[in-house]
Amino acid sequence: MHAGSAGLRSRPARVFLSALGIAIGIATMIAVVGISSSSQAKLLRELDELGTNMLVVTPGQALFSGQDTRLPNEAPGMISRIEGVRSIGTTGDVPVSVRRSENIPKAETGGIVVKAVKDDLLGTLRAGLRSGAWLNGATGRYPSVVLGHVAAQRLGITTPGQQVFVGGRYFTVTGILDPIPLAPEIERAALVGWEAAEGLLGFDGHPTAVYERSADDRVADVRALLARTANPATPSAVSVSDPSAALQAKAATEGAFSTLLLGLGGIALLVGGVGVANTMIISVLERRHEIGLRRSLGATKGQIRIQFVTESLLLSGLGGIAGVLLGGAATGVYARVGGLPWVVPPWAVAGGFAATLAIGTLAGLYPAVRAARLSPTLALAAA
């Protein structure tokens, strides 16, 4: 160990440059795995908070005619009576536009839709209010509106109390919602009370989406009953979806696009290994006198081989440690900027460092064998 480290201490600049190649490869691999794991951890945390026990019932298309269908008015009440259903929230599409003011052309809707909602929607979605208050039994009867956060941005509404033009009259904004990953359609909507929609906007009262939360252990059972409960006459014309499925799939495949970057990191690591091997070969050529002197003093070929393999391992190990630290730091910076949890899997650190030791061993074998084969007499004479 002492003999191996002595060779490194005598050539610090060369050691730094050789270790840098290893460090870049390991840092790339650690950062790729860490960033992917951090993003996945954020998605899983969101899933834990939002829950995977919500299903959405919407009207589908008639089996033979292909025409759009409608949910019966009684659908929400019937769904709420299914065993295992904990809560429901209902929305209905209102065919009117919402604009910042009456002076804006009707065609410029900004992709914002108007939905009639019932009081229990917010709790079922597990949504939060960024500011203001949710609709209640009183405000739901009058021209009051709650905006999804995307709708608020597009309308230029930043605080409650302002007014927007909905279906030919002004409505007062009572609240603005936080983002709702499981219901992006609500984020782009202006939400009015069910009674106000019927009385002021000509809403026909037909639900167009029923959101339901069930007990975690009853999700599959409830899903099997939803279609024929919502529309007993034509259950085939009912669509049942799981909005959390997209997040679950994204979490499961978060690392799929990291394969290319991992490959690039592996290539950088191999290039670093070639640099270590080249450094060791040059070291053997420059230190022939030292090798010959050690052999003449009784050092065996095995001891010479061990000396140079140890030197190569130390060189790679230094690069590996630096790479792990750099990769962890890069992951930390990315996580902090992106608001992600900082996650660096232990297996990635252990695997990365083990890879450096393997590269170091392979890179040092040929130079070590070459050094051991030098004749003491010729080595001393060449010096």
Side-chain angles (χ1 to χ4, degrees), residues 20-378:
L20 184 60
I22 295 287
I24 291 173
I26 292 298
T28 302
M29 299 176 75
I30 294 293
V32 166
V33 174
I35 290 172
S36 176
S37 298
S38 297
S39 299
Q40 187 178 50
K42 182 183 180 182
L43 287 172
L44 293 175
R45 187 172 64 185
E46 287 181 356
L47 279 172
D48 288 339
E49 294 173 354
L50 298 171
T52 57
N53 60 342
M54 187 175 79
L55 299 173
V56 184
V57 179
T58 55
Q61 292 183 334
L63 185 60
F64 297 106
S65 66
Q67 296 180 342
D68 293 336
T69 60
R70 302 198 327 184
L71 292 175
N73 290 350
E74 301 80 11
M78 293 187 293
I79 290 173
S80 67
R81 289 193 288 271
I82 298 176
E83 185 178 356
V85 172
R86 296 285 179 81
S87 65
I88 64 167
T90 309
T91 67
D93 291 341
V94 183
V96 298
S97 64
V98 54
R99 292 168 285 161
R100 185 66 180 85
S101 75
E102 59 186 309
N103 299 318
I104 295 176
K106 291 183 179 181
E108 296 181 12
T109 63
I112 305 170
V113 296
V114 179
K115 291 181 179 290
V117 301
K118 295 189 176 181
D119 298 349
D120 46 10
L121 178 68
L122 193 67
T124 301
L125 293 178
R126 296 183 184 174
L129 282 161
R130 175 166 295 176
S131 59
W134 178 244
L135 299 167
N136 54 39
T139 57
R141 298 189 183 96
Y142 298 102
S144 303
V145 61
V146 172
L147 300 176
H149 87 285
V150 174
Q153 290 174 356
R154 292 177 180 176
L155 290 170
I157 302 296
T158 56
T159 57
Q162 299 175 272
Q163 291 189 320
V164 292
F165 197 67
V166 182
R169 65 184 300 164
Y170 281 97
F171 276 60
T172 300
V173 177
T174 63
I176 299 173
L177 296 176
D178 279 327
I180 312 173
L182 294 187
E185 66 279 4
I186 301 298
E187 297 178 344
R188 295 161 176 79
L191 311 175
V192 300
W194 201 271
E195 294 181 10
E198 290 178 322
L200 303 175
L201 301 175
F203 174 51
D204 61 7
H206 276 279
T208 50
V210 180
Y211 303 83
E212 71 82 25
R213 289 273 183 186
S214 54
D216 290 335
D217 58 345
R218 299 300 303 275
V219 175
D221 296 335
V222 170
R223 181 166 192 157
L225 297 171
L226 279 175
R228 60 177 179 266
T229 302
N231 192 347
T234 53
S236 60
V238 177
S239 175
V240 180
S241 60
D242 178 1
S244 69
L247 281 180
Q248 294 181 59
K250 187 177 180 181
T253 60
E254 183 62 39
F257 294 104
S258 300
T259 304
L260 176 61
L261 293 177
L262 280 174
L264 293 175
I267 293 173
L269 184 60
L270 289 176
V271 171
V274 172
V276 171
N278 185 58
T279 298
M280 296 305 301
I281 291 173
I282 294 174
S283 179
V284 170
L285 295 175
E286 291 179 343
R287 295 160 63 188
R288 284 179 295 176
H289 178 72
E290 173 193 332
I291 295 168
L293 183 60
R294 289 199 65 202
R295 290 296 310 280
S296 65
L297 294 176
T300 64
K301 291 184 177 181
Q303 289 173 330
I304 297 297
R305 284 194 293 266
I306 290 174
Q307 173 188 345
F308 282 91
V309 170
T310 300
E311 188 172 323
S312 178
L313 281 171
L314 289 174
L315 182 56
S316 299
L318 289 173
I321 293 172
V324 168
L325 294 176
L326 287 173
T331 302
V333 171
Y334 182 88
R336 186 176 181 83
V337 172
L340 306 175
W342 182 27
V343 179
V344 178
W347 64 263
V349 176
F353 193 70
T356 63
L357 297 182
I359 290 291
T361 301
L362 293 175
L365 281 177
Y366 173 71
V369 170
R370 182 170 178 172
R373 288 177 177 175
L374 284 176
S375 168
T377 305
L378 294 178

